[in-house]
Amino acid sequence: MNAPSRMPLVLAFLIGMFVAATGLAVAVLASFSDPMVLAVAGIAGAACIVAGLITWLILRGVRQEPYELAGLEDDALPVRHAPARIHALPSGELPPAYLAAVMKGIAANRAAMRSRDLHH
């Protein structure tokens, strides 16, 4: 069972967006015509390009092969079964301990509701 990886496409898109946003920021900063701002914008632009290149090189170094489920044949894959149905039992057939626990829960719920109504 092969599953293609979309990671290269996603990373390429993110790198492109990062470079475009940094380019826009550098262009806006360059419009101020201040030499110090131009130097900072140039350094930021160069850092953006270097970061994009490093990310792309790391991405290319990672294996691009689709992964396979090791050791499982198509016949050995788990089969999904329909959900189990719960059949209702008459209350006379329920265990006494279960009925006592349900009644105790109902009593606690009613007490909590009464307490809430008194405080509001």
Side-chain angles (χ1 to χ4, degrees):
M1 178 187 301
N2 292 335
S5 173
R6 293 185 183 163
M7 187 59 72
L9 181 63
V10 171
L11 282 177
F13 175 74
L14 290 176
I15 291 170
M17 292 300 295
F18 179 64
V19 170
T22 304
L24 179 66
V26 167
V28 169
L29 288 175
S31 68
F32 291 128
S33 301
D34 183 13
M36 190 62 160
V37 172
L38 285 175
V40 170
I43 292 170
C48 170
I49 291 171
V50 169
L53 285 173
I54 290 172
T55 305
W56 185 253
L57 290 174
I58 290 172
L59 175 65
R60 289 188 57 175
V62 175
R63 275 187 13 186
Q64 299 294 324
E65 300 171 12
Y67 65 89
E68 293 185 23
L69 293 175
L72 289 179
E73 299 296 326
D74 286 338
D75 297 335
L77 292 175
V79 178
R80 292 190 137 187
H81 297 285
R85 296 196 180 264
I86 299 174
H87 300 284
L89 290 176
S91 60
E93 294 180 21
L94 293 173
Y98 176 78
L99 289 176
V102 168
M103 294 308 290
K104 185 176 179 181
I106 291 172
N109 188 19
R110 286 183 182 162
M113 291 296 175
R114 269 189 251 116
S115 174
R116 186 186 67 147
D117 290 340
L118 291 175
H119 293 298
H120 285 259

